[in-house]
């Protein structure tokens, strides 16, 4: 196992291992399945190949390489025991507040923002319907997201069958979908939610998201989560009306690796 560079970090606190052992990974994710919902879905075959998993003891780091614009880095446990093996230069980091001090030794967190992870409790459907979207709708989705949304959207997500939209004439004016979904594992993360600026305040995003949730529940998905900025009160209230509750606060945002903390090769 390569030794980490010493200095400010002191002796290497552990020896993180890169693994593809799904059973072991799942045992770590199940320490907090709501916090780990995205990562649990990444255990599916079509996503697993884009994942790098690093573990040490009860700690885990996941680097996901399947998105076009960002490279998510997800953490469980003690980041200092797993981050020495992570070599990604630019990441979009997800960390709990208690991790921030350890993470700062590897990735400065001055660009992160505070978020809620919310989980669906008793579903309260919104009135109205929304149309299923397919891969053929990808250009119209891109046009809508170009107005300020869809940071974590990938066209491959449309193959899930869980995107729903509302059209005005031939234009897509509202959408909701998923980031990941696994009916087999019973988990989904909804997102990519947006209404055109000229059509906001009409409940269109709620209709789309409600239709997505209904489709997931019809397929047996029992654990449905989403992320929202703590400062976005209108969105938080919308999600609460649909039945979501706050599970935890966390931070997410872009971060650049401190060069001196790369693992020596």
């Amino acid at each position: 196992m390569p030794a980490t560079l010493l200095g400010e970090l002191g002796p290497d606190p552990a020896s993180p291992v890169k693994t593809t052992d799904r059973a072991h990974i799942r045992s770590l994710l199940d320490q907090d399945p709501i916090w780990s919902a995205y990562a649990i879905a990444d255990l599916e075959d079509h996503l697993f190949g884009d994942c790098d998993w690093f573990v040490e003891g009860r700690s885990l780091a996941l680097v996901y390489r399947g998105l076009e614009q960002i490279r998510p880095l997800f953490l469980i446990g003690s980041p200092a025991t797993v981050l020495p093996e992570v070599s990604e230069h630019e990441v979009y980091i997800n960390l709990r507040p208690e991790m921030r001090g350890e993470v700062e030794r590897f990735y400065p967190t001055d660009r992160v923002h505070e978020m809620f992870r919310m989980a669906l409790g008793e579903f309260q459907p919104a009135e109205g319907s929304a149309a299923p979207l397919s891969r053929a709708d990808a250009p119209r989705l891109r046009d809508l997201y170009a107005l300020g949304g869809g940071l974590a959207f990938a066209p491959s997500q449309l193959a899930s069958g869980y995107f729903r939209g509302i059209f005005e004439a031939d234009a897509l004016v509202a959408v909701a979908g998923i980031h990941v979904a696994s009916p087999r594992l019973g988990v989904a993360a909804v997102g990519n939610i947006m209404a055109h600026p000229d059509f906001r305040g009409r409940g269109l995003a709620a209709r789309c998201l409600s239709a997505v949730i209904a489709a997931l529940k019809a397929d047996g998905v029992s654990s449905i989560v989403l992320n929202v900025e703590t400062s976005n009160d209108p969105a938080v209230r919308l999600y609460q009306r649909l039945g979501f509750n706050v599970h935890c606060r966390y931070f997410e945002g872009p971060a650049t690796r401190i060069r001196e903390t790369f693992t020596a090769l």
Side-chain angles (χ1 to χ4, degrees):
M1 196 70 193
T4 56
L5 295 177
L6 303 181
E8 289 185 339
L9 296 181
D12 183 9
S15 299
V17 174
K18 188 175 180 180
T19 184
T20 57
D21 183 341
R22 294 190 215 203
H24 181 49
I25 293 168
R26 181 63 191 264
S27 72
L28 299 177
L29 300 179
D30 281 342
Q31 294 177 94
D32 188 341
I34 300 300
W35 170 239
S36 303
Y38 285 71
I40 290 173
D42 287 339
L43 293 172
E44 287 284 16
D45 287 345
H46 67 286
L47 299 173
F48 195 72
D50 287 322
C51 297
D52 290 332
W53 306 87
F54 304 93
V55 302
E56 168 57 38
R58 304 303 291 169
S59 299
L60 174 146
L62 162 64
V63 177
Y64 181 69
R65 296 178 277 100
L67 295 177
E68 296 178 351
Q69 300 183 56
I70 58 175
R71 185 148 294 184
L73 169 60
F74 168 75
L75 298 165
I76 291 176
S78 175
T81 66
V82 285
L83 285 179
E85 196 69 8
V86 176
S87 61
E88 296 296 326
H89 182 60
E90 298 286 345
V91 298
Y92 196 85
I93 201 162
N94 295 259
L95 68 149
R96 300 286 285 269
E98 64 271 17
M99 300 175 181
R100 196 165 185 176
E102 290 187 34
V103 169
E104 287 279 357
R105 296 159 60 184
F106 302 88
Y107 289 96
T109 62
D110 54 299
R111 292 184 288 165
V112 301
H113 43 280
E114 192 174 26
M115 305 285 292
F116 287 134
R117 168 63 52 81
M118 303 184 76
L120 185 66
E122 185 176 349
F123 180 37
Q124 303 293 329
E127 293 185 5
S129 61
L133 303 181
S134 70
R135 286 182 180 272
D137 295 300
R140 285 183 285 193
L141 266 171
R142 289 191 181 279
D143 289 344
L144 180 58
Y145 289 144
L147 301 175
L151 177 64
F153 171 70
S156 60
Q157 294 165 346
L158 287 164
S160 69
Y162 292 121
F163 274 71
R164 299 292 185 271
I166 295 173
F167 293 86
E168 184 75 18
D170 195 42
L172 183 65
V173 298
V175 65
I178 54 94
H179 296 303
V180 290
S182 172
R184 182 179 68 87
L185 298 173
V187 64
V190 296
N192 292 307
I193 304 160
M194 184 178 173
H196 190 288
D198 294 341
F199 290 83
R200 289 175 183 166
R202 306 184 189 184
L204 303 186
R207 281 170 53 187
C208 291
L209 179 54
S210 182
V212 172
I213 294 168
L216 289 166
K217 291 181 71 67
D219 284 346
V221 177
S222 57
S223 181
I224 301 175
V225 306
L226 59 77
N227 304 325
V228 60
E229 291 196 34
T230 57
S231 60
N232 192 344
D233 291 335
V236 172
R237 289 194 296 270
L238 182 158
Y239 301 144
Q240 288 174 331
R241 288 197 299 273
L242 293 175
F244 285 89
N245 303 304
V246 173
H247 175 71
C248 67
R249 292 175 181 261
Y250 75 100
F251 295 101
E252 71 171 45
T256 302
R257 180 80 179 216
I258 299 172
R259 183 176 300 276
E260 290 76 12
T261 60
F262 279 118
T263 299
L265 299 178

